[in-house]
Amino acid sequence: MGCCHSLSSGEVPQQRAHQNHGEGDPPLTKFSFSDLNVATENFSLKNVVSESGGESSNIVYKGRLQNHGLIAVKKFNNMAWTDPKTFVEKAHRVGGMKHKRLVNLIGYCCEGNERLLVAEFMPNDTLAKHLFRRKNHTMEWEVRLKVAYSIAEALDCCSSAGFASYNNLSAYSILFDENGDACLSCFGLMKETNNDRKTAGSVNPESVMFRFGTILVDLLSGKPIPPSHAHDMIHGKNVAELIDPNLKGKFSADEATIVFKLAFKCLQYEDRESRNTKHIVRTLETLQTKTDAPSYAMLEMAHHRELSSNKLSPLGKACLRMDLTAIHKILVIAEYEDDKEVVEFSFEEWMEEAKDIQEVRKHGDQAFLEQDFETAINCYSQFIDSRRTVYPSVYARRSLCYLFCNQPDRALHDGMIAQEVFPDWPTAFYLQSVALSKLNMITDSADTLKEATLFEAKRHHRKQDS
């Protein structure tokens, strides 16, 4: 068993592992409950990141240490792990697992009845979110193959280390790191007892192999398939019937057939059989053809290293600096030009309708220009309350006024409404980013700023192509 040491909430969690563990790995950290209580803001619901949304008895929270390092904290219910010695021993065993495709377990807490695990934080969401919930983006076929291969590698590593089971392996257990690479959550390796429902010589729906087959079906179909229905989804069907229609034919039929057959085999796996994870890895490795493309680009993520000030637009730079005066100048110059993209009738008609109400808006614009932000708020609010549809720049201007008046919560609300009206508008995201930072929600602010740069880049490319 490896050694452990106490860590205050100000120290830095260990970095991503890029190969299997060795003697130089950092020891597992023993956190105090008060450290984790502070890091998660008293285990606030707003910090819940587990997909159950807080309904599960074992909840995962996002936390921030005093040095601003992000962590993921899994809090078990008080009925779990009644033997503290067993919990600590198992945590050390899981913490000793280091692989580039496995999320690092960096620590634990075992005080009284409290049982918590601490892992590195994965900033780019789950496979479930990218595969099932992205309305405007279909995960590319090559990305799906890469995810399957990455998780097969992780499971092979776990199998080689003697981990025979994994708790609820699913698309929600697969997380994307800062580079956009898929990693298997380490939390699933912590199982107190083996409660899998199985009969000797039969297929076990809770087995790792069966669950991996279910993930392959998810990747093929683009749909969240309950493990109990996975066999029915694939039995008696062919690839053409199962494949995600959102791919629109942009996939290799030969590759899809290989994955289909592999999924079928995993769903037929019986517990009495030996687990041949290395065969699965070798099979999926042959399908990796787009190895030179960075994962974050394939997933359309804004990579953290690309978010330097010299890559940002003037508005992005001003928001990164929290320079409200510079943001104000940019919005004044922009006027209402961007609104033309979402106006359903002519812009001139919009400007002419209800002239008395437009005069109120013009008074707001003049106050905005003169930096009389309280007057601008009053005028814009009257204008908004008098119209059924208000175009995004009005909300953007009022959002900035609220920021100047130290009302970031209202500024955030206006930024979100502007986004609802104009979903891909970078300005709405930029203003939300500033408001979130003012509210001390630093991580959410950074994520929103990344989204803004991504939408801005897409917008720029569209204009170049047109």
Side-chain angles (χ1 to χ4, degrees), residues 127 139 143-152 174 176 182 219:
L127 173 62
M139 182 179 284
V143 178
R144 302 183 196 210
L145 292 177
K146 191 170 184 179
V147 169
Y149 175 56
S150 296
I151 302 310
I174 300 169
F176 290 95
L219 291 168

Side-chain angles (χ1 to χ4, degrees), residues 154-219:
L155 291 174
D156 181 54
C157 172
C158 295
S159 179
S160 299
F163 287 89
S165 60
Y166 186 98
N167 192 30
N168 296 327
L169 177 64
S170 71
Y172 299 100
S173 312
I174 300 169
L175 310 168
F176 290 95
D177 66 13
E178 59 188 5
N179 297 315
D181 290 317
C183 301
L184 181 65
S185 170
C186 59
F187 291 149
L189 295 173
M190 287 287 291
K191 294 188 69 174
E192 186 174 15
T193 56
N194 190 347
N195 295 319
D196 293 349
R197 302 183 301 274
K198 58 185 177 183
T199 305
S202 67
V203 173
N204 173 18
E206 298 301 318
S207 76
V208 173
M209 293 290 281
F210 189 97
R211 288 291 189 128
F212 183 70
T214 301
I215 290 172
L216 293 180
V217 176
D218 290 344
L219 291 168

Side-chain angles (χ1 to χ4, degrees), residues 339-340 342-353 358 387 389 391:
D339 291 353
K340 294 180 180 179
V342 291
V343 176
E344 295 179 357
F345 45 90
S346 78
F347 188 67
E348 291 73 18
E349 287 176 324
W350 174 64
M351 295 295 289
E352 287 298 321
E353 78 159 339
Q358 291 295 345
R387 291 180 53 81
T389 303
Y391 295 97

Side-chain angles (χ1 to χ4, degrees), residues 315-366:
L315 179 57
K317 291 178 181 179
C319 291
L320 189 63
R321 298 193 311 267
M322 304 283 288
D323 187 343
L324 300 185
T325 301
I327 298 171
H328 174 258
K329 290 180 179 178
I330 292 168
L331 293 188
V332 167
I333 294 171
E335 295 184 327
Y336 290 89
E337 188 66 26
D338 286 347
D339 291 353
K340 294 180 180 179
E341 296 186 33
V342 291
V343 176
E344 295 179 357
F345 45 90
S346 78
F347 188 67
E348 291 73 18
E349 287 176 324
W350 174 64
M351 295 295 289
E352 287 298 321
E353 78 159 339
K355 288 189 177 181
D356 54 336
I357 296 300
Q358 291 295 345
E359 286 300 318
V360 173
R361 180 193 57 78
K362 290 177 181 177
H363 285 308
D365 290 343
Q366 187 62 34

Side-chain angles (χ1 to χ4, degrees), residues 432-434 436-437 441-450:
Q432 288 178 55
S433 172
V434 176
L436 287 165
S437 184
M441 299 173 69
I442 307 302
T443 304
D444 293 326
S445 172
D447 291 343
T448 306
L449 189 69
K450 289 178 183 179

Side-chain angles (χ1 to χ4, degrees), residues 14 28 90-92 94-98 103-108 117-120 186-187 190:
Q14 64 197 62
L28 200 63
K90 189 64 178 285
H92 275 284
V94 174
M97 292 284 296
K98 305 296 176 193
V103 178
N104 287 329
L105 184 70
I106 61 177
Y108 67 92
L117 297 174
V118 182
E120 60 181 338
C186 59
F187 291 149
M190 287 287 291

Side-chain angles (χ1 to χ4, degrees), residues 7-259:
L7 179 76
S8 73
S9 59
E11 292 187 47
V12 181
Q14 64 197 62
Q15 301 298 310
R16 292 281 303 133
H18 293 288
Q19 56 188 4
N20 291 351
H21 62 91
E23 296 179 359
D25 291 316
L28 200 63
T29 297
K30 183 178 180 181
F31 287 89
S32 71
F33 185 76
S34 66
D35 284 340
L36 300 181
N37 196 44
V38 170
T40 59
E41 300 177 86
N42 300 317
F43 296 98
S44 170
L45 283 176
K46 73 177 184 179
N47 289 325
V48 172
V49 292
S50 45
E51 294 288 341
S52 59
E55 296 177 3
S56 172
S57 56
N58 301 327
I59 304 174
V60 179
Y61 298 85
K62 178 173 66 177
R64 181 179 295 278
L65 301 177
Q66 287 179 359
N67 69 345
H68 301 300
L70 289 175
I71 53 175
V73 182
K74 180 169 183 175
K75 191 174 189 290
F76 291 92
N77 65 45
N78 290 337
M79 300 298 293
W81 299 97
T82 54
D83 182 3
K85 183 180 178 182
T86 302
F87 176 77
V88 173
E89 288 177 349
K90 189 64 178 285
H92 275 284
R93 188 170 171 229
V94 174
M97 292 284 296
K98 305 296 176 193
H99 190 275
K100 62 185 178 180
R101 298 297 177 236
L102 185 67
V103 178
N104 287 329
L105 184 70
I106 61 177
Y108 67 92
C109 173
C110 186
E111 290 184 12
N113 293 326
E114 300 293 349
R115 304 288 183 267
L116 302 99
L117 297 174
V118 182
E120 60 181 338
F121 184 76
M122 296 285 102
N124 283 312
D125 297 318
T126 64
L127 173 62
K129 187 168 184 178
H130 284 282
L131 187 59
F132 308 142
R133 302 180 186 174
R134 294 285 295 274
K135 294 182 180 180
N136 299 320
H137 175 63
T138 300
M139 182 179 284
E140 291 182 14
W141 174 246
E142 291 81 6
V143 178
R144 302 183 196 210
L145 292 177
K146 191 170 184 179
V147 169
Y149 175 56
S150 296
I151 302 310
E153 282 189 299
L155 291 174
D156 181 54
C157 172
C158 295
S159 179
S160 299
F163 287 89
S165 60
Y166 186 98
N167 192 30
N168 296 327
L169 177 64
S170 71
Y172 299 100
S173 312
I174 300 169
L175 310 168
F176 290 95
D177 66 13
E178 59 188 5
N179 297 315
D181 290 317
C183 301
L184 181 65
S185 170
C186 59
F187 291 149
L189 295 173
M190 287 287 291
K191 294 188 69 174
E192 186 174 15
T193 56
N194 190 347
N195 295 319
D196 293 349
R197 302 183 301 274
K198 58 185 177 183
T199 305
S202 67
V203 173
N204 173 18
E206 298 301 318
S207 76
V208 173
M209 293 290 281
F210 189 97
R211 288 291 189 128
F212 183 70
T214 301
I215 290 172
L216 293 180
V217 176
D218 290 344
L219 291 168
L220 283 165
S221 67
K223 300 175 183 177
I225 308 300
S228 58
H229 292 75
H231 185 269
D232 294 337
M233 278 290 296
I234 201 170
H235 184 70
K237 295 184 179 180
N238 56 39
V239 173
E241 294 174 289
L242 185 66
I243 203 71
D244 186 353
N246 292 317
L247 286 169
K248 297 180 179 179
K250 296 179 180 178
F251 67 95
S252 163
D254 290 339
E255 292 172 349
T257 299
I258 292 172
V259 176

